[in-house]
Amino acid sequence: METNTYTRPLGRSGIQVSALGFGCWAIGGEWNSADGQPLGWGRVDDEESVRAVRRALDLGVTFFDTADVYGAGHSERVLGRALGRRRADVVVATKWGNVFDERTRTLTGQDDTPAHARRALTASLDRLGTDHVDLYQLHLSDADPERAAELRDMCEEFVREGLIRAYAWSTDDPERAAVFAKGAHCTAVQHRLNILQDAPELLALCEESNLASVNRSPLAMGLLTGKHTPGRALAAGDIRSTPPAWLPGFTADGGADPEWLGRVEALREILTSGGRTLAQGALAWIWARSPRTVPIPGFRSVAQAEENAGALAKGPLTADQLAEVDRVLGR
């Protein structure tokens, strides 16, 4: 598979993207579940978010991943404003499946019907200020496979209508991902992948089916940035301060899990080789893991955008370093 440090094909779609994407969950700002649990990453400054997106563009990032539910619609609005006239220069991915109240910024439920998919897509196009989405992704990771097959067919309809170019499922289940992979215009799987949480079965599926591996949590929800220390509590309004069951690495008292931080520390020397920051090394591991990977770290500031984009020039870790990581982690 032809790749270089800076760009790669998005699976079998023929769409070229930067090898690094930017995840837009955090720039959606604060939003909550119906019972008041935080689902965002705390407060954000929209103007700083816009500057960060534009700085990323200047540094060669051409792939931006959001979801209709992030910030209950706010992330899509901020991204659309930030891209503005440069929309044609980028590949925009968003997701559907959740139902929310934009006014109160509250998640209210889920809807896996084809009718909702069309309503959600129309609303996303409006918020993003665009006439098409490049990659449309099912956001319900454990949706029923039979219903998912209907939604896959619906996505094929959206492609025919010119509303989307390609589609994917955001799921950590290889069997579910394989259902979408049967569609002609399915081109990716979005799944969790970082140096602490490998995903060999999903990477194998991507290889077999000629799909891109779009990687959420590439920095393990911030644990691989080096900014977390034992006992440091996170601000209220940050999902990591009261982590749900699906979010490992953080404790019920609102801090990073010391055991996870110990693993990060054990990897520090390898990851910071070649003048990399810890975060840049974590991204370099993902690129070394498979040429199909497109990590999408989150960001909230120009400084974070610059650090993440700076990983592109340094490229992947070596095969020897990859083996050394496995040795250190005992896998």
Side-chain angles (χ1 to χ4, degrees), residues 11 14 21 29 56 62 92 101 103 111 137 164 169 175 195 205 242 308:
T62 62
V92 172
D101 184 326
R103 188 181 53 82
D111 191 336
Q137 302 162 106
I164 68 173
W169 192 344
E175 289 181 16
I195 197 168
L205 173 70
T242 51
N308 291 341

Side-chain angles (χ1 to χ4, degrees), residues 159-183:
V159 172
R160 285 193 293 275
E161 292 173 33
L163 298 173
I164 68 173
R165 293 171 73 191
Y167 57 88
W169 192 344
S170 178
T171 180
D172 292 318
D173 178 358
E175 289 181 16
R176 281 183 165 82
V179 172
F180 255 42
K182 289 175 183 163

